[in-house]
Amino acid sequence: MTPAPRTVAVGGDTPYTIHIGTGLLADGALLARHVRGRHVLLLSDSQVAPLYLAGVKAALLAARPDLLIGELVLPAGEASKTLANFGAAISALAALGATRDACVLALGGGVAGDLAGFAAACWMRGVDVVQLPTSLLAMVDSSVGGKTAVDIPEGKNLVGAFHPPRAVIADTAALRTLPPRELRAGLAEVIKYGAIGDPLFFQWLQAEHAALLAGDDTALAQAIARSCEYKADIVARDPLEKGERALLNLGHTFGHAIETEQGYGAPGNDNLNHGEAVAVGMVLAARLSARLGMSSDADTEQLRALLLRYQLPVAIPAGLAAQALLGRMRLDKKNLAGRLRLVLWRGIGHAEVVADVDEAEVLQVLAAG
Ligand code: GLY
């Protein structure tokens, strides 16, 4: 049975709605409702565009025949999230003659969303972006909350801006064409919400793993809605990550270090993708928490067991040196005054930010893998 469409409201100073439902990419009226002016840049990637770009464009034009729609399709994969492609998006907006009421539509996963959002944040000092996430990871995390960025060789997401979307439209039918590995990567971010602050959701994820891995529409819609509600509450209270929003980065400091150290991957290589790196990072954060006496080894084991049940990696890939990973962690955005600040936990559902973490302890955890 197809689940009924849902909405999640994101409050705060720049409120917007997250629409979650099947077939929403074909809903021209819904798409057009969020386009204020005449200029639209549709930014997508080489895997997603052949599946959905023409349909989105046709639906929009049917609702708003006056629109001028430009397109920019980038190679799929994290390796596209560069300053050079940010420049390409800016050039595409210039070629379109986009004015201040223009709208960038981010059609794809986290890479398209982050890049499109950053271009929208910068063009004429800020135009609208509407996020049309097609991956689970983008639906439950990156499309919500206004973080936009590109990567540089020195680190992931180091250049960017906070720029909340005008709306998020998540068409869950797109998950049917998502490669299983990408689905699992998104489920790592879903598990993160349970691990940070919702033990009951963690238990639900333990029970529902077969349905979620099989791509069951109803289970996925529930997981997406719960994740978005959780994130929406936090970003409404702390949009610029001055406090509790940092908790959403459980596993990310370790994970980003792994991603940066292995080099940003293109599809088809053996590098961990973002969700996989976060899965490993959460286990490392749990191990470090146990070393520091904040949690037990049994807590770590519960998390590790759940990630394994979702067929996610739980160990640092071979060939990455502990010292090199620690070096990458020193450039994390949460750090202050040159000291490591990490999200750790006191067990399932109880994450917290810990300042001034001893690097020697971190190194021990990294060395143990
Ligand atoms: N992905 C974490 C955040 O949006 O804050």
Side-chain angles (χ1 to χ4, degrees):
M1 209 179 67
T2 304
R6 308 179 189 217
T7 57
V8 176
V10 184
D13 291 344
T14 44
Y16 55 94
T17 301
I18 305 168
H19 303 262
I20 304 162
T22 308
L24 299 187
L25 288 179
D27 186 342
L30 176 65
L31 295 167
R33 196 193 302 162
H34 301 292
V35 176
R36 292 185 299 132
R38 283 190 70 208
H39 301 112
V40 172
L41 176 64
L42 247 171
L43 191 149
S44 190
D45 73 50
S46 55
Q47 272 172 358
V48 171
L51 299 172
Y52 303 114
L53 191 141
V56 168
K57 192 172 173 181
L60 258 177
L61 284 172
R64 283 276 311 271
D66 63 313
L67 291 179
L68 296 170
I69 303 182
E71 295 171 22
L72 178 63
V73 177
L74 300 171
E78 187 73 30
S80 280
K81 221 173 87 176
T82 59
L83 281 166
N85 282 333
F86 163 77
I90 293 298
S91 297
L93 284 161
L96 196 60
T99 47
R100 267 211 163 136
D101 50 4
C103 181
V104 181
L105 290 179
L107 176 66
V111 172
D114 282 9
L115 190 79
F118 187 39
C122 296
W123 178 249
M124 294 194 172
R125 301 204 180 95
V127 296
D128 292 338
V129 60
V130 173
Q131 296 282 349
L132 308 178
T134 58
S135 73
L136 181 61
L137 192 141
M139 290 180 193
V140 299
D141 187 21
S142 58
S143 70
V144 177
K147 280 188 182 174
T148 73
V150 294
D151 305 328
I152 56 174
E154 291 82 354
K156 243 184 90 96
N157 295 340
L158 287 182
V159 183
F162 286 100
H163 188 60
R166 190 169 167 81
V168 179
I169 299 173
D171 184 345
T172 49
L175 299 178
R176 294 182 192 143
T177 56
L178 195 66
R181 186 174 170 191
E182 297 296 323
L183 187 76
R184 296 196 295 271
L187 288 167
E189 293 278 7
V190 174
I191 291 168
K192 178 191 78 178
Y193 292 109
I196 293 168
D198 192 342
L200 283 179
F201 188 48
F202 193 92
Q203 278 172 23
W204 182 82
L205 290 167
Q206 284 172 322
E208 293 296 326
H209 78 278
L212 288 164
L213 279 176
D216 177 81
D217 284 341
T218 305
L220 281 173
Q222 190 158 341
I224 295 164
R226 179 68 198 117
S227 301
C228 288
E229 282 161 7
Y230 192 91
K231 183 162 184 178
D233 274 355
I234 290 191
V235 298
R237 289 192 294 266
D238 181 19
L240 303 182
E241 199 171 302
K242 296 191 185 303
E244 65 175 317
R245 182 166 180 174
L247 298 176
L248 298 176
N249 292 314
L250 179 67
H252 282 61
T253 306
F254 288 106
H256 284 170
I258 292 170
E259 286 180 88
T260 306
E261 195 51 25
Q262 70 185 357
Y264 307 119
N269 69 19
D270 280 340
N271 290 352
L272 296 191
N273 62 33
H274 177 64
E276 291 167 338
V278 167
V280 176
M282 287 194 289
V283 173
L284 297 174
R287 286 218 178 103
L288 180 58
S289 306
R291 268 189 83 83
L292 298 177
M294 294 173 59
S295 62
S296 68
D297 289 337
D299 293 320
T300 309
E301 195 40 46
Q302 269 208 71
L303 175 62
R304 199 174 153 276
L306 184 63
L307 293 166
L308 284 172
R309 202 178 276 189
Y310 280 88
Q311 298 163 32
L312 285 158
V314 292
I316 297 172
L320 299 185
Q323 268 297 352
L325 290 169
L326 181 63
R328 299 293 185 184
M329 291 174 72
R330 292 195 185 108
L331 214 51
D332 186 83
K333 296 189 289 308
K334 283 181 295 305
N335 296 340
L336 292 175
R339 305 283 186 170
L340 285 187
R341 234 168 122 247
L342 294 174
V343 184
L344 301 179
W345 75 351
R346 293 193 181 276
I348 289 149
H350 303 285
E352 62 183 57
V353 177
V354 179
D356 216 356
V357 180
D358 184 353
E359 287 196 358
E361 298 288 350
V362 177
L363 200 57
Q364 290 291 332
V365 168
L366 290 169

